[in-house]
């Protein structure tokens, strides 16, 4: 089985084409596409790789419809209306603000503009010009600046700091326009990471958020980055933050899955040792995330985020049936960790999905035995 993990790592890091897998009594072996023994994800109703939606972790048809209208007409008003009708304290509003900002940022990247071309994302600039007091537009603009900084500049450079300082001012303006709204402060968490806020300053920002939305999963995930070893904390601080969030999670909250995200943030660059994914710390984090998923509301907008990360860990742990149980719920959308960290989210997701199918069938599973 060791060869499987070597081949999978090579596939992921070199971005080769998705392999097809076949079942064998002793384990799983990569084979050529079209082999009669190949395990086929399509047998389980899973979408083809090219049909996977990389924009979001799960379905939000209202958002997709509005994004289509905004990008087709370059008219911001549908986006403004959708945000007005979205609950302030909820996870959905945060995801929609991120989606609108991301759409504008990608448009600008694809069409930077020129002498005879209107730059992409023009609808956001018009939104801010025509409705300067709209809190939704202000929040989207602040998040847009944050994404621009990370997308176009290198942390520590003057360009990065200039954009982040502008984003910080935009967060303050958005907060003034929407008293009690946690979103401007959640956006500022990324600014705090980029500008290296001292820990006391970061903790004051965090207390402001907790006062407004104590169980906000998106906010906790954004704050976790700051406490990670690769930014301004350590493995111990990140684990402590995640475990504290899980311990005080209200009934039905996905905060119980936070330790799994902390483990993911501190994975070694390359780890081909299966026993690591079956270790006590990983197993405990997986169980916490599985408990969170089982007790969460089916319509929790953060549920797909946790399921996607579970797929990654369950496949690495060779817990094939449990991985398949998560895939049934998330297949179709792949805009979530860990897939979004690579240049080919759909391809990486499809590799893990194929491994899950092959492992499931190698242990006697079939489409008929998979519970939906």
């Amino acid at each position: 089985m060791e060869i499987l993990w070597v081949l999978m790592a090579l596939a992921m890091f070199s971005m080769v084409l998705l392999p097809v897998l076949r079942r064998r009594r002793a384990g799983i072996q990569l084979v050529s596409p079209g082999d009669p023994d190949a395990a086929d994800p399509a047998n389980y109703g899973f979408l083809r790789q090219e049909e996977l939606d990389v924009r979001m972790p799960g379905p939000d048809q209202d958002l997709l419809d509005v994004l289509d209208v905004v990008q087709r007409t370059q008219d911001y008003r549908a986006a403004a209306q959708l945000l007005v009708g979205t609950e302030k304290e909820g996870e959905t509003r945060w995801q929609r603000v991120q989606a609108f900002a991301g759409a504008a940022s990608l448009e600008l990247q694809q069409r930077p503009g020129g002498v005879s071309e209107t730059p992409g994302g023009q609808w956001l600039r018009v939104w801010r010009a025509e409705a300067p007091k709209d809190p939704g537009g202000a929040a989207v603009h602040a998040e847009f600046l944050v994404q621009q900084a990370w997308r176009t500049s290198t942390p520590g450079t003057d360009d990065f700091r200039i954009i982040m300082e502008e984003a910080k001012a935009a967060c303050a303006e958005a907060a003034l326009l929407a008293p009690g709204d946690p979103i401007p402060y959640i956006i500022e968490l990324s600014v705090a990471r980029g500008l290296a806020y001292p820990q006391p300053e970061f903790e004051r920002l965090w207390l402001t958020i907790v006062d407004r939305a104590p169980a906000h999963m998106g906010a906790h995930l954004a704050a976790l980055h700051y406490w990670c070893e690769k930014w301004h904390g350590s493995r111990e601080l990140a684990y402590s933050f995640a475990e504290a969030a899980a311990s005080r999670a209200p009934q039905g909250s996905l905060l119980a899955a936070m330790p799994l995200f902390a483990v993911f943030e501190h994975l070694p660059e390359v780890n081909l040792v299966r026993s690591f994914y079956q270790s006590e710390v990983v197993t405990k984090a997986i169980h916490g995330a599985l408990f969170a998923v089982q007790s969460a509301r089916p319509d929790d907008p953060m549920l797909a985020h946790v399921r996607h990360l579970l797929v990654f860990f369950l496949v690495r742990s060779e817990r094939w049936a449990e991985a398949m149980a998560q895939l049934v719920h998330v297949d179709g959308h792949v805009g979530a960790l860990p897939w979004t960290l690579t240049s080919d989210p759909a391809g990486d997701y499809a590799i893990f999905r194929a491994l899950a199918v092959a492992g499931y069938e190698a242990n006697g599973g079939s489409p008929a035995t998979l519970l939906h």
Side-chain angles (χ1 to χ4, degrees):
M1 286 290 292
E2 292 295 334
I3 188 62
L4 166 64
W5 298 104
V6 174
L7 289 170
M8 187 183 74
L10 291 173
M12 291 182 67
F13 292 127
S14 61
M15 301 302 173
V16 299
L17 295 176
L18 172 66
V20 184
L21 306 152
R22 118 175 129 195
R23 296 157 288 159
R24 295 185 64 177
R25 180 177 300 176
I28 308 168
Q29 179 179 343
L30 300 179
V31 299
S32 302
D35 188 287
D37 287 331
D40 187 358
N43 292 337
Y44 296 83
F46 296 148
L47 295 183
R48 295 193 301 271
Q49 180 178 331
E50 60 269 23
E51 296 175 323
L52 296 170
D53 191 328
V54 301
R55 296 172 294 179
M56 297 185 300
D60 184 344
Q61 194 58 50
D62 288 341
L63 174 60
L64 288 178
D65 291 343
V66 168
L67 271 174
D68 178 66
V69 169
V70 170
Q71 294 188 305
R72 180 164 38 82
T73 66
Q74 290 294 295
D75 188 333
Y76 69 87
R77 285 175 292 184
Q81 186 176 7
L82 183 64
L83 289 181
V84 167
T86 306
E87 179 188 8
K88 278 185 180 181
E89 294 78 14
E91 307 280 356
T92 300
R93 182 180 175 85
W94 169 227
Q95 292 193 21
R96 288 174 172 175
V97 166
Q98 287 182 299
F100 288 133
S105 180
L106 283 172
E107 279 186 38
L108 184 58
Q109 183 181 33
Q110 294 163 358
R111 301 196 314 276
V115 176
S116 60
E117 181 185 43
T118 301
Q122 180 67 19
W123 53 269
L124 178 55
R125 284 182 283 275
V126 174
W127 188 354
R128 294 298 294 129
E130 293 187 354
K133 301 300 183 183
D134 180 1
V140 172
H141 179 241
E143 174 65 15
F144 166 81
L145 291 170
V146 167
Q147 293 194 29
Q148 280 294 101
W150 292 111
R151 194 187 304 276
T152 65
S153 306
T154 302
T157 63
D158 288 342
D159 286 347
F160 181 84
R161 176 167 289 277
I162 289 169
I163 301 174
M164 276 298 188
E165 290 288 358
E166 187 179 354
K168 182 177 181 179
C171 288
E173 181 180 357
L176 288 175
L177 292 172
D181 186 350
I183 299 299
Y185 300 100
I186 297 174
I187 297 170
E188 192 180 348
L189 289 171
S190 189
V191 176
R193 176 163 56 100
L195 294 181
Y197 282 20
Q199 288 189 7
E201 185 178 355
F202 183 87
E203 288 170 347
R204 285 194 295 272
L205 172 62
W206 179 243
L207 288 175
T208 301
I209 295 168
V210 170
D211 184 55
R212 289 162 170 75
H216 199 289
M217 180 73 171
H220 280 79
L221 291 176
L224 176 64
H225 289 301
Y226 177 91
W227 294 114
C228 286
E229 189 173 62
K230 60 189 173 185
W231 287 106
H232 310 297
S234 65
R235 181 187 301 266
E236 292 72 24
L237 285 171
Y239 279 20
S240 176
F241 175 80
E243 288 164 5
S247 68
R248 61 173 181 267
Q251 179 65 31
S253 169
L254 287 166
L255 289 177
M258 284 296 298
L260 189 64
F261 287 87
V263 170
F264 177 76
E265 291 294 337
H266 292 87
L267 289 177
E269 290 295 329
V270 178
N271 192 311
L272 303 178
V273 181
R274 294 196 317 274
S275 60
F276 171 80
Y277 291 95
Q278 296 161 354
S279 64
E280 182 180 355
V281 65
V282 174
T283 299
K284 183 180 177 181
I286 289 175
H287 288 167
L290 287 170
F291 170 79
V293 163
Q294 291 162 4
S295 59
R297 300 189 331 269
D299 63 344
D300 191 315
M302 294 301 293
L303 187 54
H305 287 273
V306 180
R307 290 192 188 278
H308 278 289
L309 198 62
L310 273 169
V311 169
F312 173 87
F313 277 99
L314 291 169
V315 168
R316 285 290 183 94
S317 303
E318 300 181 17
R319 296 167 65 165
W320 313 115
E322 291 170 291
M324 292 293 287
Q326 301 305 318
L327 285 166
V328 166
H329 292 284
V330 300
D331 194 73
H333 297 84
V334 296
L337 289 174
W339 328 119
T340 52
L341 294 180
T342 73
S343 60
D344 184 13
D348 283 354
Y349 167 83
I351 288 171
F352 273 77
R353 184 180 65 183
L355 287 167
V357 170
Y360 182 63
E361 294 187 356
N363 287 275
S366 71
T369 61
L370 183 61
L371 297 177
H372 289 260

